[in-house]
Amino acid sequence: MYKNLKSTIKELAKSAVVIAEKTLGSNKGKEKKKMAIEYIISRIPVPTFIKPLVSMLLSSFIDDAVEFAVEYMEAI
């Protein structure tokens, strides 16, 4: 499950970055990152009562996934 969760987070990060960019536009990096992280956490496929724990335990991974997604989107 843990490996699948990480894969899901990476895919959610790509969608989150695109949505944040379309919604907020340019020059709002911090706001877009916050929006992307909230998007990912809200859609993690775990029960709602576990989401705060998962988001805390995987906060660094989620942050890295968002950064990777940004770099990926800039490259294409």
Side-chain angles (χ1 to χ4, degrees):
M1 178 179 158
Y2 188 68
K3 192 171 191 174
N4 291 336
L5 185 58
K6 283 188 166 187
S7 177
T8 300
I9 289 170
K10 288 179 184 178
E11 291 304 312
L12 286 170
K14 290 177 187 176
S15 298
V17 167
V18 169
I19 291 168
E21 183 66 35
K22 286 181 180 179
T23 303
L24 299 175
S26 59
N27 296 325
K28 295 190 177 181
K30 288 183 182 182
E31 293 91 347
K32 287 190 288 188
K33 187 170 186 176
K34 182 180 177 187
M35 183 179 185
I37 290 170
E38 289 172 356
Y39 176 91
I40 293 167
I41 292 170
S42 71
R43 285 164 177 78
I44 292 174
V46 296
T48 304
F49 69 94
I50 296 177
K51 286 184 184 197
L53 178 62
V54 171
S55 66
M56 183 183 70
L57 293 174
L58 296 177
S59 64
S60 179
F61 180 80
I62 293 170
D63 189 57
D64 290 345
V66 170
E67 292 297 328
F68 178 78
V70 168
E71 291 174 13
Y72 174 79
M73 294 301 171
E74 288 175 352
I76 58 170

